Amino acid sequence: MAENLNLFTSTQNVIKEALTKLGYTEEMYELLKEPLRMFTVRIPVRMDDGSTKVFTGYRAQHNDAAGPTKGGVRFHPEVNEEEVKALSMWMTLKAGIVDLPYGGGKGGIVCDPRQMSMGEVERLSRGYVRAISQIVGPSKDIPAPDVYTNSQIMAWMVDEYSHIREFDSPAFITGKPLVLGGSHGREKATAQGVTICIHEAAKKRGIDIKGARVVIQGFGNAGSFLAKFMHDAGAKVIGISDAYGGLHDPEGLDIDYLLDRRDSFGTITTLFENTITNQELLELDCDILVPAAISNQITEENADNIKASIVVEAANGPTTLEATKILADRGVLLVPDVLASSGGVTVSYFEWVQNNQGYYWTEEEVNAKLHTALVKAFDNIYETAQTRGVNMRLAAYMVGVRKTAEASKFRGWV
């Protein structure tokens, strides 16, 4: 809980600093420091054993001045109000960074889907949509997958919403299966976005990706796709890790072999004897370090020991604010999470556009549009950091918050 409160307050702190740098008043910070709306719902679900269990769900809508709110729904036992609020604010920033006509939203249900049957998860998913149906919709608030939710859960949710509204509403939710109006490229979008940011950062530092030594912490969805993309681009992935430890080979790991052997949770290191700790992995001598696991991994304790010249955050909040300052002072180029992981929301936007116009793009078209959007966002933030003399995280927050602040001002809210 303290960690989520920390995430919430640190997000507020950087938003405040960004607004001050942009010349906005205290009133604008008062408007943007919390979501405009925060819903708590109770969802009764008939379980397989005949009993009824009541689950708690949340939906935060941070700000809809620039357009409908947008953001994922996570199913996790530790979901709580502070986390959902903070993540809805991050979605506002991501939408602003990639210049999407959205504000940020986020949802969650306190549950452990790993301990539930498919039928129970389906009834819970449909119950959540019924509970929030009046406040969501294609032009109000558009959910998407997140932690422990997937395209199947989105399919149940869009079906339930279409029943309630009595017409087919594919644009109500993104991350759907292709046959229900999903977009090509959505599954790999986050890793693809991180890869684009790695390439752009390497160009700024004069590093050739071919032969560059890359370390990736985390081997789940984002981390494994990333390792494959880097390997295929000719980089040497010299270190990867999962929750149980890390693997290191200065000559480069056999990524295809590891992908073939890992389990559905991204676990691979348990098959090996000579493993290293996650902490040792972060401090390996490399060119590019990608924390793609959990938050608070690079702290003021170990920031001085990071040997990479580029750090690209694929996870949410892997570097603390103190560590960010230390890395910036040491000349390390840090590409912040709100920029690096914005590929997912960008392709979600593409899915929503395709649903609204009823015309669907090829994977090549999606990838080309994603590349254009992220290169533009990267250059904008890098330029802001250089001209304003601030680190990349603060620059990203400045770019990210500007759109919503301007829209709120034009609407006369502040």
Side-chain angles (χ1 to χ4, degrees):
M1 191 70 173
E3 194 179 292
N4 292 316
L5 201 59
N6 182 30
L7 177 69
F8 183 52
T9 52
S10 68
T11 303
Q12 285 183 323
N13 291 340
V14 189
I15 284 179
K16 184 167 195 172
E17 198 179 344
L19 287 169
T20 305
K21 287 269 186 202
L22 292 169
Y24 283 101
T25 59
E26 183 69 25
E27 286 99 328
M28 186 62 79
Y29 172 66
E30 280 300 312
L31 176 68
L32 298 181
K33 74 175 185 181
E34 294 232 9
L36 288 177
R37 302 177 202 90
M38 180 72 205
F39 295 90
T40 303
V41 294
R42 303 280 282 152
I43 310 154
V45 175
R46 180 63 51 87
M47 306 304 277
D48 289 348
D49 64 4
S51 66
T52 296
K53 191 171 175 187
V54 183
F55 294 86
T56 299
Y58 302 102
R59 188 73 190 169
Q61 297 174 340
H62 177 236
N63 190 293
D64 53 9
T69 49
K70 176 92 192 77
V73 181
R74 55 180 51 188
F75 286 8
H76 197 275
E78 285 164 30
V79 162
N80 63 70
E81 198 171 317
E82 297 299 334
E83 177 188 55
V84 172
K85 279 186 186 177
L87 293 170
S88 75
M89 291 156 77
W90 278 27
M91 289 306 298
T92 293
L93 295 167
K94 285 185 185 184
I97 282 166
V98 204
D99 198 19
L100 306 178
Y102 288 146
K106 204 74 180 184
I109 300 175
V110 186
C111 68
D112 191 347
R114 294 165 299 182
Q115 309 295 324
M116 298 164 70
S117 71
M118 285 288 274
E120 289 169 342
V121 172
E122 177 179 355
R123 293 191 287 277
L124 176 61
S125 303
R126 291 178 181 276
Y128 179 70
V129 172
R130 288 196 297 275
I132 64 168
S133 65
Q134 289 165 308
I135 57 143
V136 293
S139 56
K140 285 184 184 177
D141 182 13
I142 306 134
D146 203 292
V147 177
Y148 293 146
T149 55
N150 55 24
S151 59
Q152 175 60 74
I153 289 170
M154 300 305 106
W156 290 326
M157 287 186 174
V158 76
D159 183 64
E160 191 65 28
Y161 187 81
S162 299
H163 279 302
I164 294 165
R165 290 282 171 257
E166 297 185 344
F167 59 82
D168 192 34
S169 311
F172 150 67
I173 207 162
T174 60
K176 303 179 293 293
L178 282 174
V179 291
L180 295 184
S183 176
H184 283 290
R186 176 66 184 83
E187 199 186 331
K188 298 177 186 171
T190 303
Q192 198 92 42
V194 177
T195 304
I196 293 164
C197 287
I198 290 172
H199 279 276
E200 292 308 301
K203 278 185 210 164
K204 300 290 184 201
R205 281 292 153 100
I207 294 173
D208 189 347
I209 288 292
K210 276 194 172 59
R213 297 164 306 150
V214 180
V215 169
I216 300 169
Q217 185 198 31
F219 210 54
N221 188 37
S224 58
F225 274 131
L226 255 176
K228 178 70 174 153
F229 290 154
M230 289 290 95
H231 179 67
D232 290 351
K236 272 205 284 194
V237 181
I238 63 166
I240 62 104
S241 72
D242 55 31
Y244 302 99
L247 301 176
H248 174 224
D249 182 347
E251 295 307 309
L253 295 160
D254 184 344
I255 297 302
D256 289 329
Y257 173 77
L258 297 178
L259 288 171
D260 203 37
R261 300 293 303 276
R262 75 183 194 120
D263 69 17
S264 59
F265 294 105
T267 305
I268 181 69
T269 60
T270 46
L271 302 177
F272 296 83
E273 280 176 12
N274 300 327
T275 58
I276 59 173
T277 66
N278 263 289
Q279 214 46 55
E280 288 169 325
L281 180 99
L282 293 171
E283 297 175 13
L284 287 174
D285 189 5
C286 64
D287 300 304
I288 301 162
L289 172 63
V290 186
I294 53 174
S295 58
N296 299 328
Q297 294 303 291
I298 303 175
T299 64
E300 56 189 328
E301 271 78 56
N302 66 354
D304 278 319
N305 303 331
I306 302 297
K307 297 177 186 68
S309 63
I310 297 171
V311 175
V312 181
E313 297 182 329
N316 284 338
T319 314
T320 65
L321 293 184
E322 296 81 8
T324 299
K325 290 185 174 67
I326 295 168
L327 293 176
D329 291 343
R330 291 184 52 221
V332 175
L333 175 55
L334 175 83
V335 182
D337 43 20
V338 285
L339 166 59
S341 64
S342 57
V345 70
T346 307
V347 177
S348 271
Y349 165 67
F350 295 161
E351 183 176 330
W352 179 75
V353 169
Q354 292 169 83
N355 294 154
N356 280 322
Q357 65 184 13
Y359 177 76
Y360 292 83
W361 307 333
T362 63
E363 186 158 358
E364 291 72 29
E365 287 175 291
V366 171
N367 288 341
K369 286 175 166 65
L370 175 62
H371 189 269
T372 302
L374 283 205
V375 169
K376 184 181 166 194
F378 185 97
D379 287 344
N380 190 7
I381 288 167
Y382 189 82
E383 187 70 20
T384 302
Q386 297 296 308
T387 54
R388 296 291 196 119
V390 296
N391 64 48
M392 287 278 283
R393 190 182 311 285
L394 183 52
Y397 272 62
M398 287 166 71
V399 170
V401 82
R402 185 185 279 130
K403 183 167 188 152
T404 296
E406 278 183 15
S408 301
K409 206 163 188 293
F410 273 119
R411 285 182 182 274
W413 293 359
V414 173

